[in-house]
Amino acid sequence: MDCGGGGIKASVLDAAGTMHAQPVRASTPYPLPPSRLVSVISSLAEQLPAADRVTVGMPGMLRHGVVVATPHYVTKAGPRTRVLPELVLHWSGFDMRSAVEEALGLPALVLNDAEVHGAGVVAGAGLEMILTLGTGLGNAVFDGGALAPHVELSQGPVKWGLTYDDYIGEHERLRLGDAMWSRRVRNVIEALRPMYLWDRLYVGGGNSRRISAAVLGRLGDDVVVVPNSAGIVGGVRAWELQLPRAGAPRPLEG
């Protein structure tokens, strides 16, 4: 289950990552409290063959399947619209993994969507990072194939009071056009390079194919553009990842 700011899509794969059903899709409905997202996921699952487990990728900061914060689903009508305080409250601390497991009756793995995407492409050697370009910016880091604790770059400030989501998200791509937007993408990559010093950077997401040829030629040999379909394969490979502090968090004592 790939849950984005504009659409939610799902398919069924075997253990090798071969797709066994054509993807089904639904537009992301707004406003979107947790129960409504779980309902959409259930509806898509009903249109697919039976499965043994489910992987859900969604935007935001998640720990052990629990939502800490999510940027799009707390808005009234989608990205760049008014944030509804009641939705912030509903989403904060919501146990998405348990809700999906209860709704589908299957073991579930719930991760940030870029983490799932990265699971589909990393080689498992050195420090690898992925940036996903879509509604906003997604990111994940892997060290020797193990998923590092998540940092929500999308909400970091860039300039002019804009976050990374704002600066290179879909809204700005449409406003600027692909050529100028591509230059912004390169600026972001070059700004992040000395911070992460990656061995390999993957650039994926639905808008990665829109990066201009001129910019692609200047990104460097350590940057690889990967197809958006990697997010599908990642749904299988994510189960093999070494996750940070794997398992459910222990309750506090005292």
Side-chain angles (χ1 to χ4, degrees):
M1 298 281 178
D2 184 6
C3 304
I8 301 168
K9 57 182 180 292
S11 186
V12 173
L13 298 87
D14 62 22
T18 302
M19 195 178 302
H20 282 254
Q22 286 298 313
V24 293
R25 188 183 191 280
S27 296
T28 305
Y30 290 98
L32 186 61
S35 58
R36 192 174 187 189
L37 179 58
V38 174
S39 178
V40 173
I41 288 173
S42 297
S43 176
L44 291 177
E46 290 173 357
Q47 302 173 47
L48 293 167
D52 299 315
R53 61 191 185 186
V54 57
T55 305
V56 176
M58 60 175 286
M61 174 72 79
L62 295 102
R63 298 190 185 119
H64 318 292
V66 175
V67 178
V68 177
T70 185
H72 309 310
Y73 298 164
V74 296
T75 60
K76 181 178 181 179
R80 300 181 66 87
T81 63
R82 182 166 61 92
V83 172
L84 300 179
E86 61 269 29
L87 285 181
V88 175
L89 183 62
H90 287 320
W91 275 110
S92 180
F94 182 75
D95 191 342
M96 189 68 177
R97 180 175 65 184
S98 293
V100 170
E101 287 182 339
E102 182 177 351
L104 300 186
L106 298 172
L109 183 62
V110 181
L111 299 169
N112 173 274
D113 50 355
E115 294 174 341
V116 177
H117 201 105
V121 298
V122 294
L127 192 138
E128 301 171 278
M129 184 173 184
I130 184 165
L131 298 177
T132 56
L133 306 172
T135 302
L137 175 71
N139 67 281
V141 174
F142 300 80
D143 183 10
L147 179 62
H150 188 63
V151 175
E152 188 67 0
L153 278 180
S154 69
Q155 302 307 300
V158 184
K159 59 194 309 185
W160 310 314
L162 300 177
T163 65
Y164 282 98
D165 258 358
D166 300 325
Y167 189 63
I168 55 173
E170 174 68 356
H171 182 273
E172 284 296 276
R173 187 192 68 80
L174 292 172
R175 186 181 72 85
L176 296 170
D178 286 350
M180 187 173 294
W181 171 82
S182 295
R183 289 196 288 273
R184 281 196 179 183
V185 171
R186 180 171 180 260
N187 289 341
V188 167
I189 290 173
E190 293 307 319
L192 294 177
R193 188 188 299 274
M195 296 170 60
Y196 285 92
L197 295 174
W198 53 68
D199 294 301
R200 180 65 58 86
L201 173 69
Y202 304 97
V203 182
N207 280 344
S208 61
R209 61 187 175 87
R210 299 184 181 277
I211 300 174
S212 68
V215 165
L216 285 176
R218 301 178 66 184
L219 290 180
D221 294 338
D222 59 342
V223 180
V224 179
V225 176
V226 296
N228 199 33
S229 59
I232 297 292
V233 178
V236 173
R237 291 189 63 191
W239 286 83
E240 303 167 8
L241 290 176
Q242 179 183 337
L243 302 178
R245 295 175 60 198
R250 295 177 61 184
L252 297 175
E253 297 180 357

